Amino acid sequence: MKVEQIYTGCLAQGAYYIESNGEAAIIDPLREIKPYLEKAEKDNATIKYVLETHFHADFVSGHVDLAKASGATIVFGPNAKTTYDAYIAQDGEELKVGNVAIKVLHTPGHTMESTTYLLKDENGIDYALFSGDTLFIGDVGRPDLAAKSDLTQDQLAGHLYDSLRNKIMTLADDVIVYPAHGAGSACGKNMSKETSDTLGNQKKTNYALRADMTKEEFIKEVTDGLTPPPSYFPLNVMMNKEGYDNIENVLEQGLQALSPEAFEAAANETGALVLDTRSPETFAAGFIPNAINIGIDGGFAPWVGTLIPDIKQQILLITDEGREEEVVTRLARVGYDYTIGYLNGGMDAWKQAGKEVDAINSISAETFAQRFEQDNAIKVVDVRKPGEFQAEHVEAAQSAPLDYLNEHLAELPKDETMYLHCAGGYRSMIATSILKARGYENVVNVAGGFKAIAETSVPKTAFVCPSTLK
């Protein structure tokens, strides 16, 4: 028996490969399916099942393409309804994979079709639980993502409480827990950076698994502090339910190399969003006017999903040379399939063609401190999350979280210089690029963010531990 976790950091997502005696099962695969096919081929194994723990909201699963390419059967748990062929397993049913068995445990709560898969080894002993978004390391799945559910989040949380107590906490302490996500995912609140653990340790350390916890206490704690989910979540659910275009077609369309002239024409004729995925520092030095910067080396996919509300939005790319396919692939992972090309030769080609170039004034924290000392009434805009701002911030700074920047535009003056910062510089450059594209010319980015500002003389509020904030 072989069990392999395939973890993708930018999505904080875990897929799983299980192989035994020439047969394999894949759990919650990503959209690019080649790695799974190659693993099976290397093991001389046939992929028998593609197991889905639920209809994912934060990424587009590779189940449809993988089943077509391998001949495997797509499996969901009870209550799942799809428009493509899939096997809807019964609660308690066991699926054979070589010499091992995978038991289907229906665990509604995160969503009503949510299902966990219990792997039994060659001797029939419970070995590992693939817990999807039902149980994370240090947390449990949020109960407010079920698309078109007739149930309230409190009712879903009640189902989750029952699922955990009746289906999961009854298992042996040495069972290994393999969740679908880790820290950084929006599918939970306080997930650990660890990507697996024993169930026994989770019973000791996970607040949601306290033995003396009542259902009412569980519902209150699980639903407390939930922020609105990204707007692309229900759109990804729809794609996972109804199917999607083949990833190869998406890549072929997105990887069209466009000359500066063709790129400019495409932008003007289609209304495509110009997305620049280079680093914040590189972007600031020179970019195509009205381009939005979301750096590929940060929390790329989640921020794309948060800030581009229409997954069918046509997108034109500026990337670092050689990273074009990576960018198109990572966009497709979260359902953005309408990339229509990239700037061949990048910004160097654009400049050589004599095209217009814009830039952002980005200053160091030390320079910011000098300006603040000269005039402590300067406009400071903090684009971090509300909890980060409440914990500690520059005195008199205005909070305008990047997630909800559109809602704060009326409060931001176009005729006054604004100094934007986040924690380290990634989010503030995104915000600055959005404001520039919307006609805010007097924006300055503070490189290094609050981390760098905190080391200067700029006055800050007293620190409040985030864990005490509600």
Side-chain angles (χ1 to χ4, degrees):
M1 178 179 71
K2 176 190 291 187
V3 178
E4 184 176 348
Q5 182 184 66
I6 307 163
Y7 200 79
T8 304
C10 66
L11 288 174
Q13 190 270 346
Y16 297 91
Y17 172 82
I18 303 165
E19 187 275 332
S20 172
N21 196 28
E23 291 185 336
I26 313 295
I27 301 177
D28 293 338
L30 284 186
R31 195 155 175 198
E32 57 273 28
I33 63 173
K34 188 176 179 182
Y36 313 113
L37 296 171
E38 289 177 344
K39 286 180 185 299
E41 183 179 7
K42 182 179 178 181
D43 290 337
N44 196 27
T46 299
I47 300 176
K48 188 176 183 180
Y49 296 115
V50 181
L51 305 172
E52 291 287 298
T53 55
H54 62 296
F55 293 119
H56 303 283
D58 60 314
F59 71 98
V60 178
S61 178
H63 56 308
V64 175
D65 281 349
L66 185 54
K68 288 178 181 176
S70 65
T73 298
I74 299 172
V75 178
F76 280 93
N79 295 336
K81 295 180 181 178
T82 67
T83 58
Y84 46 81
D85 288 339
Y87 179 69
I88 308 303
Q90 298 299 306
D91 184 33
E93 183 175 351
E94 291 195 1
L95 307 172
K96 289 291 186 181
V97 179
N99 298 329
V100 303
I102 298 174
K103 186 175 182 178
V104 177
L105 300 179
H106 185 214
T107 49
H110 175 65
T111 64
M112 287 307 290
E113 81 284 350
S114 284
T115 296
T116 59
Y117 297 102
L118 178 63
L119 175 64
K120 295 173 174 285
D121 67 16
E122 296 90 338
N123 299 313
I125 305 300
D126 295 348
Y127 175 77
L129 181 73
F130 301 91
S131 57
D133 285 18
T134 296
L135 175 62
F136 299 124
I137 307 306
D139 201 359
V140 291
R142 54 191 295 172
D144 63 333
L145 299 184
K148 298 182 180 178
S149 173
D150 294 329
L151 303 176
T152 66
Q153 70 176 23
D154 284 7
Q155 290 171 321
L156 283 162
H159 281 293
L160 183 58
Y161 176 89
D162 292 337
S163 293
L164 291 165
R165 265 72 190 168
N166 300 332
K167 296 288 184 67
I168 291 178
M169 292 176 67
T170 57
L171 300 174
D173 286 353
D174 61 354
V175 168
I176 302 169
V177 177
Y178 286 120
H181 292 292
S185 169
C187 294
K189 293 187 298 182
N190 300 299
M191 286 176 260
S192 169
K193 292 181 180 179
E194 301 300 319
T195 60
S196 65
D197 195 6
T198 63
L199 181 58
N201 195 49
Q202 281 303 292
K203 289 176 183 177
K204 295 176 184 176
T205 60
N206 190 321
Y207 76 96
L209 302 188
R210 292 200 311 268
D212 61 349
M213 193 180 218
T214 67
K215 182 179 286 192
E216 290 70 26
E217 289 171 335
F218 177 89
I219 292 171
K220 184 179 185 302
E221 291 195 38
V222 167
T223 58
D224 184 49
L226 286 175
T227 57
S231 59
Y232 77 101
F233 271 26
L235 304 174
N236 275 198
V237 169
M238 181 183 66
M239 292 177 73
N240 284 319
K241 279 186 175 181
E242 300 180 0
Y244 42 77
D245 195 10
N246 184 281
I247 187 68
E248 296 303 324
N249 297 336
V250 175
L251 289 170
E252 182 179 354
Q253 175 182 272
L255 293 177
Q256 296 185 77
L258 303 175
S259 67
E261 291 73 21
F263 188 95
E264 186 175 44
N268 292 333
E269 293 169 9
T270 66
L273 173 75
V274 178
L275 179 62
D276 193 321
T277 64
R278 298 173 299 153
S279 72
E281 299 79 14
T282 306
F283 174 84
F287 58 90
I288 296 173
N290 297 323
I292 303 301
N293 174 239
I294 305 180
I296 191 66
D297 290 324
F300 178 69
W303 280 118
V304 166
T306 298
L307 298 171
I308 305 176
D310 182 8
I311 61 174
K312 294 187 178 181
Q313 168 70 55
Q314 291 182 310
I315 296 172
L316 287 163
L317 294 175
I318 299 100
T319 75
D320 293 311
E321 187 177 358
R323 302 189 73 176
E324 300 85 5
E325 183 171 348
E326 176 190 356
V327 173
V328 176
T329 298
R330 288 173 64 174
L331 285 169
R333 284 178 183 167
V334 287
Y336 290 80
D337 286 359
Y338 291 84
T339 303
I340 59 175
Y342 67 91
L343 179 60
N344 192 25
M347 284 304 297
D348 287 341
W350 184 263
K351 293 173 183 176
Q352 289 169 10
K355 302 293 184 182
E356 184 180 355
V357 176
D358 202 349
I360 283 174
N361 185 8
S362 188
I363 62 172
S364 67
E366 291 76 16
T367 300
F368 171 70
Q370 292 169 6
R371 294 185 186 182
F372 195 94
E373 187 175 348
Q374 294 166 3
D375 179 9
N376 59 16
I378 62 176
K379 184 75 171 178
V380 182
V381 179
D382 187 331
V383 301
R384 296 176 300 163
K385 292 182 180 295
E388 295 174 277
F389 181 83
Q390 292 169 27
E392 188 178 20
H393 59 265
V394 173
E395 286 187 0
Q398 177 180 345
S399 175
L402 177 58
D403 313 48
Y404 312 110
L405 188 63
N406 287 341
E407 299 171 17
H408 291 273
L409 291 180
E411 307 164 14
L412 302 178
K414 285 189 174 182
D415 58 353
E416 183 179 352
T417 299
M418 292 185 289
Y419 294 81
L420 276 70
H421 77 82
C422 59
Y426 180 82
R427 288 174 286 176
S428 61
M429 188 59 72
I430 297 174
T432 306
S433 70
I434 291 172
L435 292 177
K436 283 278 282 186
R438 297 193 178 180
Y440 289 78
E441 294 299 330
N442 303 312
V443 286
V444 179
N445 178 67
V446 182
F450 190 78
K451 182 179 180 181
I453 293 171
E455 297 176 359
T456 71
S457 60
V458 173
K460 303 171 287 295
T461 60
F463 177 74
V464 178
C465 180
S467 64
T468 66
L469 295 171
K470 294 292 184 183

